[in-house]
Amino acid sequence: MKYEATIGLETHIMQKTASKMFCACEYEYGAAPNTHVCPVCLGYPGALPMMNEKAIELCCKAGLLLDCEINSHSKWDRKNYFYPDMAKNYQITQADEPLCLGGHLEVDVNGELKTFTLERIHQEENAAKNTHVAGASLVDYNRAGTALMEIVSNPCMHSSEDALAYLASLKQIMEYGEISDCNPEKGQIRSDVNVSVRPVGQKELGSKVEIKNMNSFAFIQQAIEYEIDRQTSLLESGGAIVQETRGFDSDRGETFSQRTKENAHDYRYFPEPDLMPVKISTEQVELWRSELPELPVQRRTRYVNELGLPEYDAGVLTADKATSDWFERAMQHTKNAKAASNFVMGEMMRLLSEQDFSISESKVTPEKLAEIIALIDAKTISTGAGKQVFEIIFNEGGEPKKIVEEKGMTQVSDDSALESWADDAIAANPRPVEEYKAGNTASINFLMGQVMKASRGKANPGAVMQVLKKKLDAFC
Amino acid sequence: MLGEKEGMDINYVAHLARIDLTEEETTLFQGQLEQVLHYVEQLDEIDVSGVEPTAHAFPVYNILRKDEMGQSLGHSAVIANAPAASDGEIRVPKIIDQ
Amino acid sequence: MDDLHKLTITELSEKLAAGGCTSVGIVKDVLAVIDANDGKVGAYLTVDRDSALEQARAADVARAAGVTSPLLGIPIAIKDLLNVKGQPCTCSSKILEGYIAPYDATVIAKLREVGAVLLGRVNMDEFAMGSSTENSALGKTHNPWNLGHVPGGSSGGSAACVVADEAIASLGSDTGGSIRQPAAFCGCVGVKPTYGRVSRYGLTAFASSLDQIGPLTKTVKDSAILLETLCGHDKLDSSSIEMDVPTFSENLTSDTSLVGMKLGLPKEYFVKGMDSEVEKAVRDAVEHCKSLGAEIIDVSLPHSKYAIAVYYIIATAEASANLARFDGIRYGLRIDGKDPLELYKKTRAAGFGSEVKRRIILGTYVLSSGYYDAYYKRAQKVRTLIRNDFTEVFKQCDAILAPVTPTPAYKLGEKTNDPLEMYLDDILTTPTNLAGNCALSLPCGFSSGGLPIGLQIIGDSFDEQTILKVGHAYEQTTKWHKQKPEL
């Protein structure tokens, strides 16, 4: 018998807000423990939550970016469970009336375009961070109550490739939409993965196993693959799958049983009396829609159609939002898209790969790249010199024009100097001259090299070529 | 509808509520709460079809807060209130999945 | 003693303005009464002696500098479930042992702004769960009229201290009658404002959709004065309503005519088993209002009889979540365990009293898997019907007259063994909490045993002015409020 896996993801994404979901505390990654806390996010007696309007906006915009329907009426619920990272011992979330319904995502999985559908997106609050020491655990509530949205996919994926492509695309869209920085190391994107396996042809899904709270994409892949194998072998050997929650042991690359259905939580959801419902008008939705930033796929098309870049360049430049934004800024200062693209894909990416800072922190700013390109286009410097200037600025900083002057990189286009170097080269190298005359036009490259050498690289190659051609052709 | 309700499994409910009950409490509360539950069964006689539930006495909408940072509590007050703390964090017995 | 403690806010405020006394003088006088009487009454959990005197001095300085406010320098007692920065907030529970509030409740901040003196914190039923203050883990409070009787609850300390002249006024909270019932039992004025009128920020929640903070005072006008300060929108409480607050007290004049006023008498509120003296006192009060010119009409609130069932589902469900935070992790009592689960269970077993445990278990049960629709959702729907009844009735009349309680204050210990019997006593007060509208309780007589009887005046939502006006007219033309217990 053949088996197939079905996978659904519940992805928690921390939104980019200045303050927490229900209180005015700041969230700062890496801050000293319990310094960004208040009566609300610590669950002190008497404290009451107040909704952060920016979080609502970001959640709805995420929904619009994923083609969800924005619910005109949405409400809040309490999800009750005791855990030291949940200060009130209930989480404020949305049970039956989330902000966003439906939606989908088109994703390229190994060259095949697939559509993955969403069930919903709801807004909730984050939990605190626990760390474990000998014989005890420590709780830092700085993260408690930060704005967190949960994007729930339908069980519509069938392999770890599907899941990873879905997650990568989701992450890219959330970054582009400025909904979240989606940094997995900072826990800004975490997923619960539901995996079930059934015989091919069976209508009902198999018993669902949930693997909780993973941030690393590599671990998610390993966990899915392990779980599909485990469930398939179990079914093949005549066993049954138990509906349960499993954890992932990253050291062993295995999942392990945590909680079975019999011990499942009884969350006792009920409407949150401390918060009022949210109504969202069509006008509001349209306003938000008009404010949506361009998505990578739209940008890619624009780069090809309007900037005339090759598909390949457009793909590389838009893969990462920071790079694409940097390129966009450069395009505000230069019209030479291909030159800018070449520099970003070539020099910039090569140099960045040896460093551990991001493009936005590079000493070469978009403005400076535009200046370098302008110097090349004006034939003041050669392309090679342009690359040198780029690298100098990247490493040490500085102004392109000043560097060109200080290092004497200005190209020589003056005919009298070029002619004298050309005459010298022709006189000193009779053999290539003969070969050229005999019809081997490639020999001119050797002579050109000689001239460039004599000019110490400052001669304008185009001009040199013209002068040499003129002189050699005159001999014929 | 309420007639189909089984008796309350007080041990299960006390576990959900995270309260250890003594044997005396278990017996006492079981009896008292069954009386209360019996009393509230009178709600079954009302026809509530088509009636919207009330969650808020005066529902208003979109009570929002600007996304602005405000004052947090002093760290020392937070730690002073905590029954146990180390290294600026609140200390609890080792967390194992429940 | 200057007998300043016997005066009302209105009287003291005039005296202070005229230079007839100082706030320090008032506070010293009240402290002396507390010293003399509170051993018997047991209203206070903590008297903030030094702080109160310091606040009084500051009030006197402010007054000398030209600041005026009716509450400037007036000592007020606080029900111990309101957070007062730097002070404990026990909720009369062992579980909050060691907790120091790091912030002021909005109402406390408002009282500070107008220069009121926070005198100390008074006893209550643990987490406001109870009707007799016998559920306090921290002490017994006695009815000042008869020390063998309960003061009512849950704001029993708040009512007892005002009646015993151990405070000029106090703050309480009312979830199912917890201001009005002790006011009736002890013989003072208590107001439950419309839900959303007073910010709940800083009020330790019992049932979030029902809780309201309100005043307990010696006169209706004093309640009006306090309400003017307490009411108003708060951006820290989503359920607080943005609506203008009238200057209630200025609208209470010496004109005691009720001509043009229609008052409804709901037949369902004269319940079976009601004490005949209570019924008589209330019916006499209705006649009195008629004599002041009011038109009395019969009205019906048919779903109010379900209020207790609805209330004990909704209130306990909300409470089961609200009280989940008392877990021994971040503050308060902790009984250690080998893991958090054991810690929670031991801490909550040791920290909560019986009534709190009972209600948490009931509330947990009605929300648990498989029971939500049958209990909670159905209760929410019946709540809608109870609300609709009031909406209909307020199309017919301006306010409703009713008893507050079926009986006068009962003896200490009389009902502690039968929770359901005690719950049933809330039948006349809980409908208003479920509907959200406002109500006032004021003295309207005494039983043959010398215990006070209360009249309830129920108003439409956000129409506190009308119930204050009716109450003021009744009070100004009767003498019940002038009677004082002998201590």
Side-chain angles (χ1 to χ4, degrees):
Chain A
M1 204 183 286
K2 289 204 115 195
Y3 293 92
E4 67 166 1
T6 306
I7 299 158
L9 269 75
E10 292 163 20
T11 305
H12 294 88
I13 289 175
M14 270 177 80
Q15 292 141 288
K16 232 193 242 193
T17 53
S19 62
K20 293 186 181 181
M21 184 62 221
F22 296 116
C23 64
C25 288
E26 178 189 3
Y27 174 63
E28 180 196 357
Y29 182 79
N34 298 308
T35 50
H36 296 320
V37 289
C38 75
V40 178
C41 55
L42 280 173
Y44 269 32
L48 295 172
M50 278 298 284
M51 302 180 233
N52 183 334
E53 66 176 2
K54 179 77 177 174
I56 307 278
E57 176 189 328
L58 290 178
C59 184
C60 291
K61 282 185 169 170
L64 292 173
L65 289 169
L66 297 169
D67 278 327
C68 300
E69 181 197 326
I70 306 303
N71 224 342
S72 58
H73 185 279
S74 176
K75 74 173 202 353
W76 303 93
D77 297 278
R78 292 184 182 178
K79 178 182 181 180
N80 293 286
Y81 65 98
F82 280 80
Y83 212 69
D85 65 8
M86 190 48 71
K88 303 181 295 300
N89 288 318
Y90 59 81
Q91 181 190 32
I92 303 176
T93 180
Q94 302 190 291
D96 54 348
E97 293 183 54
L99 284 169
C100 311
L101 291 169
H104 68 269
L105 198 55
E106 282 193 353
V107 183
D108 182 319
V109 187
N110 302 329
E112 187 189 343
L113 198 65
K114 292 187 177 177
T115 300
F116 297 127
T117 57
L118 304 179
E119 185 194 315
R120 59 190 279 162
I121 307 177
H122 63 257
Q123 182 66 50
E124 56 188 31
E125 55 176 336
N126 213 342
K129 190 164 158 268
N130 301 324
T131 45
H132 307 290
V133 294
S137 297
L138 303 176
V139 195
D140 169 12
Y141 290 90
N142 282 347
R143 202 181 66 189
T146 52
L148 187 73
M149 54 179 200
E150 182 173 337
I151 302 179
V152 183
S153 86
N154 284 315
C156 59
M157 291 166 245
H158 299 289
S159 65
S160 61
E161 287 86 4
D162 282 359
L164 282 205
Y166 166 87
L167 274 178
S169 171
L170 200 60
K171 176 174 186 286
Q172 195 190 39
I173 292 171
M174 292 304 121
E175 286 168 0
Y176 265 87
E178 304 204 325
I179 309 294
S180 168
D181 290 333
C182 284
N183 185 335
E185 282 79 44
K186 293 183 180 174
Q188 290 164 343
I189 177 165
R190 305 194 300 264
S191 298
D192 301 338
V193 182
N194 294 309
V195 182
S196 67
V197 168
R198 65 179 161 186
V200 171
Q202 180 181 303
K203 227 171 150 194
E204 314 79 52
L205 291 175
S207 291
K208 181 176 85 175
V209 168
E210 183 174 33
I211 311 148
K212 281 283 207 194
N213 207 19
M214 290 183 286
N215 56 0
S216 148
F217 284 20
F219 292 166
I220 291 172
Q221 179 175 14
Q222 284 177 40
I224 291 174
E225 284 165 7
Y226 178 86
E227 199 49 35
I228 293 175
D229 283 350
R230 185 185 72 85
Q231 293 184 29
T232 308
S233 325
L234 200 59
L235 289 174
E236 278 172 345
S237 64
I241 309 296
V242 186
Q243 183 174 333
E244 62 179 342
T245 302
R246 295 176 76 86
F248 180 69
D249 180 339
S250 55
D251 293 335
R252 311 173 71 165
E254 293 176 0
T255 67
F256 58 93
S257 182
Q258 272 186 327
R259 194 186 315 122
T260 56
K261 193 185 171 189
E262 288 70 47
N263 297 318
H265 286 300
D266 185 342
Y267 288 123
R268 290 160 281 136
Y269 285 98
F270 75 101
E272 164 60 284
D274 287 332
L275 288 170
M276 294 296 152
V278 181
K279 267 189 183 173
I280 299 173
S281 65
T282 24
E283 292 76 34
Q284 178 64 72
V285 172
E286 289 319 308
L287 179 66
W288 281 336
R289 199 190 298 280
S290 73
E291 291 168 359
L292 290 180
E294 198 178 29
L295 284 183
V297 60
Q298 295 159 335
R299 247 186 210 187
R300 217 152 54 217
T301 313
R302 181 166 59 84
Y303 285 6
V304 173
N305 294 344
E306 291 176 25
L307 301 180
L309 290 178
E311 283 277 0
Y312 174 78
D313 289 35
V316 173
L317 290 173
T318 56
D320 165 63
K321 175 157 194 291
T323 307
S324 180
D325 284 349
W326 196 96
F327 175 75
E328 293 277 317
R329 283 210 302 283
M331 289 314 295
Q332 288 170 7
H333 301 279
T334 178
K335 293 217 155 51
N336 194 342
K338 183 58 188 155
S341 167
N342 287 347
F343 266 105
V344 173
M345 296 198 309
E347 306 312 300
M348 183 63 99
M349 290 191 174
R350 178 177 62 81
L351 292 167
L352 278 176
S353 69
E354 295 156 8
Q355 308 290 338
D356 64 350
F357 54 79
S358 72
I359 191 163
S360 58
E361 294 161 295
S362 161
K363 290 195 181 101
V364 183
T365 60
E367 292 77 12
K368 286 181 183 175
L369 174 62
E371 265 182 64
I372 295 172
I373 292 171
L375 289 169
I376 296 169
D377 288 350
K379 303 196 164 39
T380 311
I381 56 171
S382 65
T383 304
K387 290 179 180 173
Q388 285 176 40
V389 175
F390 189 102
E391 188 157 352
I392 292 166
I393 299 177
F394 188 93
N395 290 322
E396 299 155 27
E399 294 302 320
K401 275 193 186 125
K402 236 174 158 183
I403 293 169
V404 166
E405 275 167 31
E406 281 170 12
K407 308 253 173 192
M409 290 166 141
T410 313
Q411 290 191 116
V412 178
S413 302
D414 169 24
D415 281 354
S416 62
L418 292 184
E419 284 195 28
S420 121
W421 283 324
D423 287 342
D424 290 351
I426 288 168
N429 298 287
R431 220 161 125 185
V433 174
E434 286 308 314
E435 283 169 15
Y436 183 83
K437 284 180 185 164
N440 183 2
T441 47
S443 310
I444 198 168
N445 290 337
F446 179 79
L447 297 169
M448 168 119 174
Q450 296 303 303
V451 175
M452 293 307 289
K453 209 164 153 188
S455 76
R456 282 181 295 149
K458 284 191 260 171
N460 178 328
V464 173
M465 184 64 87
Q466 267 181 11
V467 170
L468 277 172
K469 264 192 179 161
K470 189 181 76 188
K471 287 188 186 287
L472 290 170
D473 290 347
F475 283 118
C476 301
Chain B
M1 178 167 52
L2 293 191
E4 292 161 25
K5 284 170 202 155
E6 301 150 28
M8 178 198 287
D9 178 353
I10 194 164
N11 291 317
Y12 169 71
V13 180
H15 168 72
L16 279 184
R18 301 293 185 265
I19 300 175
D20 269 342
L21 295 182
T22 62
E23 262 178 54
E24 296 80 62
E25 280 174 325
T26 308
T27 318
L28 180 69
F29 293 173
Q30 177 95 44
Q32 290 170 330
L33 292 177
E34 267 168 15
Q35 264 192 347
V36 175
L37 289 170
H38 177 69
Y39 175 80
V40 305
E41 275 178 20
Q42 62 177 286
L43 296 184
D44 281 1
E45 68 196 43
I46 311 167
D47 179 10
V48 290
S49 49
V51 179
E52 283 297 312
T54 294
H56 301 280
F58 300 102
V60 282
Y61 296 91
N62 301 354
I63 307 301
L64 300 158
R65 170 179 74 74
K66 289 244 174 296
D67 181 25
E68 285 162 359
M69 283 185 286
Q71 193 84 43
S72 289
L73 279 183
H75 180 251
S76 56
V78 176
I79 297 304
N81 261 327
S86 8
D87 303 327
E89 303 205 46
I90 292 172
R91 193 180 174 91
V92 299
K94 191 115 186 158
I95 298 169
I96 43 172
D97 192 75
Q98 295 164 7
Chain C
M1 253 183 241
D2 287 334
D3 283 357
L4 292 171
H5 56 278
K6 289 184 177 164
L7 303 183
T8 64
I9 295 175
T10 317
E11 289 160 348
L12 286 171
S13 155
E14 278 167 18
K15 215 174 166 78
L16 282 164
C21 67
T22 63
S23 176
V24 170
I26 300 168
V27 170
K28 281 186 172 165
D29 189 45
V30 170
L31 286 172
V33 178
I34 294 173
D35 289 340
N37 291 343
D38 205 50
K40 286 176 262 179
V41 177
Y44 279 86
L45 293 172
T46 318
V47 180
D48 297 324
R49 223 165 270 277
D50 296 341
S51 160
L53 283 167
E54 200 175 300
Q55 294 172 64
R57 274 191 287 274
D60 287 334
V61 169
R63 186 177 300 280
V67 178
T68 57
S69 145
L71 292 172
L72 181 63
I74 305 291
I76 291 172
I78 307 297
K79 186 175 182 180
D80 202 18
L81 45 40
L82 291 163
N83 280 268
V84 178
K85 191 174 179 177
Q87 305 281 2
C89 174
T90 66
C91 300
S92 286
S93 180
K94 285 189 275 189
I95 209 157
L96 275 162
E97 190 180 285
Y99 169 70
I100 301 295
Y103 74 107
D104 273 339
T106 297
V107 291
I108 297 297
K110 286 184 167 203
L111 287 182
R112 286 196 206 274
E113 257 169 55
V114 297
V117 173
L118 307 175
L119 194 49
R121 295 177 311 281
V122 286
N123 203 12
M124 55 187 275
D125 283 300
E126 184 178 5
F127 288 107
M129 295 180 178
S131 317
S132 65
T133 310
E134 291 167 290
N135 294 330
S136 168
L138 305 180
K140 259 203 169 62
T141 302
H142 303 261
N143 192 313
W145 286 96
N146 184 331
L147 297 175
H149 286 241
V150 301
S154 66
S155 309
S158 304
C161 73
V162 169
V163 172
D165 289 332
E166 297 178 13
I168 305 305
S170 67
L171 295 192
S173 66
D174 191 315
T175 308
S178 281
I179 288 174
R180 289 161 288 161
Q181 187 256 23
F185 275 13
C186 291
C188 64
V189 177
V191 181
K192 182 203 95 74
T194 308
Y195 185 82
R197 260 296 194 203
V198 179
S199 167
R200 295 182 294 114
Y201 192 79
L203 164 75
T204 306
F206 161 15
S208 312
S209 77
L210 304 166
D211 295 340
Q212 268 294 287
I213 299 164
L216 291 98
T217 58
K218 297 172 181 177
T219 63
V220 173
K221 191 160 190 176
D222 280 7
S223 275
I225 290 169
L226 262 170
L227 280 172
E228 285 160 19
T229 296
L230 301 177
C231 293
H233 180 249
D234 180 10
K235 61 180 182 10
L236 297 175
D237 175 3
S238 303
S239 63
S240 130
I241 305 282
E242 236 173 320
M243 196 177 275
D244 287 340
V245 179
T247 43
F248 298 119
S249 63
E250 281 175 23
N251 296 325
L252 303 180
T253 61
S254 54
D255 175 15
T256 56
S257 163
L258 293 178
V259 172
M261 187 80 79
K262 267 191 187 172
L263 300 176
L265 206 58
K267 55 177 188 284
E268 296 87 357
Y269 280 54
F270 292 87
V271 292
K272 214 166 63 185
M274 172 168 282
D275 182 280
S276 59
E277 291 180 339
V278 170
E279 178 160 0
K280 181 169 187 310
V282 173
R283 292 210 185 267
D284 286 352
V286 172
E287 284 308 309
H288 185 87
C289 290
K290 201 171 169 183
S291 75
L292 295 176
E295 184 188 342
I296 309 293
I297 62 165
D298 285 326
V299 295
S300 175
L301 293 159
H303 293 96
S304 282
K305 65 174 172 185
Y306 299 114
I308 294 297
V310 172
Y311 175 82
Y312 277 92
I313 292 171
I314 290 178
T316 59
E318 291 181 9
S320 73
N322 284 333
L323 271 65
R325 68 189 61 194
F326 305 108
D327 61 358
I329 302 286
R330 294 162 312 285
Y331 48 81
L333 179 76
R334 176 186 287 194
I335 310 290
D336 245 312
K338 64 178 189 307
D339 56 24
L341 179 65
E342 193 180 292
L343 180 153
Y344 293 145
K345 289 185 167 185
K346 283 184 167 174
T347 301
R348 291 162 64 82
F352 290 138
S354 290
E355 183 58 23
V356 173
K357 287 179 192 169
R358 246 189 317 263
R359 292 199 195 189
I360 290 175
I361 286 170
L362 180 60
T364 304
Y365 176 69
V366 298
L367 290 175
S368 66
S369 177
Y371 297 104
Y372 177 83
D373 284 348
Y375 288 113
Y376 192 75
K377 197 145 195 191
R378 177 166 277 263
Q380 280 195 321
K381 288 179 178 179
V382 182
R383 183 175 182 185
T384 306
L385 298 174
I386 292 171
R387 256 179 91 194
N388 293 348
D389 285 354
F390 278 101
T391 309
E392 283 308 308
V393 164
F394 285 117
K395 286 178 187 163
Q396 303 160 37
C397 63
D398 301 301
I400 295 166
L401 299 179
V404 185
T405 57
T407 66
Y410 40 86
K411 287 196 183 99
L412 283 159
E414 194 179 317
K415 294 195 181 183
T416 41
N417 293 325
D418 191 346
L420 182 59
E421 194 192 340
M422 209 186 271
Y423 296 172
L424 294 177
D425 284 348
D426 298 340
I427 185 71
L428 305 170
T429 46
T430 45
T432 306
N433 298 83
L434 292 166
N437 53 327
C438 59
L440 173 155
S441 165
L442 82 171
C444 71
F446 284 85
S447 70
S448 50
L451 288 160
I453 294 169
L455 168 69
Q456 188 173 201
I457 308 172
I458 303 170
D460 200 356
S461 302
F462 303 101
D463 191 16
E464 285 80 5
Q465 189 69 71
T466 297
I467 57 172
L468 291 166
K469 183 179 154 75
V470 176
H472 180 70
Y474 177 83
E475 181 189 79
Q476 292 309 298
T477 51
T478 54
K479 287 186 181 139
W480 310 114
H481 66 287
K482 298 210 162 141
Q483 302 203 27
K484 295 267 180 188
E486 300 266 338
L487 278 160

